[in-house]
Amino acid sequence: MDRITAQAPALVLRPWDPADAVDLVGLCQDPALRRWTNTPVDDEAGAVRWIQEQQRGRAAGHRFAFAIVEPRATSSEGRLAGHVVLKNVTPGAASAEVGYWTAAHARGRGVASRALRALTDWAFTTFAGDGLARLELLHQVDNAASCGVARKCGYELARLLPAAPPAFPGDGHLHVRTRTPPSP
């Protein structure tokens, strides 16, 4: 599937496209986004490389990255609001990883949680036949917003992960969601 639609209000999750490069550069200038992610986008060339990396992962079948788009009533497209990804997908493996980030203008409105729920449902439906039964979500301990999104979407805190610089400079949380989430 190329597009996933989340409900209330609608979001469209679609593969990243080279036409997104200019907007991606603008989103990645946000200091909060730079703090919490390792998205190496400083200019349009960097954005194009990052988008090509997402496309190569999709073509290889191990990384499914989606631009989160908020549709506009007056156009067929919409405004980029973030990114959500299913990664480390391996046929026959029981687990994979999810990740996400949102643009500054989209924070605090449930965009990340709606996108993560849609991606989670899609992943479990699409890859159930390959044995996918567990999704892992990692974030830095001091990223309270990501922790809230994870919990809101049924990803239970599984354990504390020690820092592993330079890739993971601070301690982290590992959250887990199984195909059948625990009862509330």
Side-chain angles (χ1 to χ4, degrees), residues 14-136:
R14 60 155 175 79
W16 284 92
D17 185 273
D20 296 323
V22 171
D23 290 336
L24 180 60
V25 171
L27 297 180
C28 288
Q29 300 314 302
D30 171 36
L33 183 61
R34 286 179 152 324
R35 177 179 180 201
W36 300 121
T37 70
N38 59 1
T39 305
V41 174
D42 295 314
D43 55 26
E44 193 170 342
V48 168
R49 282 190 300 275
W50 185 85
I51 291 167
Q52 289 171 339
E53 181 182 324
Q54 307 314 306
Q55 292 173 328
R56 282 191 298 274
R58 179 178 293 276
H62 62 79
R63 182 180 183 91
F64 298 88
F66 296 90
I68 302 169
V69 179
E70 293 180 295
R72 294 182 180 156
T74 58
S75 75
S76 60
E77 200 39 51
R79 185 176 185 191
L80 280 176
H83 165 76
V84 65
V85 61
L86 173 67
K87 53 189 175 179
N88 304 325
V89 177
T90 305
S95 68
E97 184 181 342
V98 296
Y100 51 87
W101 54 258
T102 53
H105 67 81
R107 292 187 196 123
R109 298 188 291 113
V111 169
S113 59
R114 287 182 282 137
L116 180 58
R117 277 191 204 107
L119 180 76
T120 299
D121 292 345
W122 175 82
F124 282 139
T125 300
T126 303
F127 297 100
D130 291 334
L132 183 66
R134 172 186 164 108
L135 293 174
E136 297 180 347

Side-chain angles (χ1 to χ4, degrees), residues 150-168:
R151 287 184 167 147
K152 189 174 185 179
C153 294
Y155 285 77
E156 299 294 326
L157 180 59
R159 70 178 202 255
L160 181 67
L161 301 172
F168 301 100

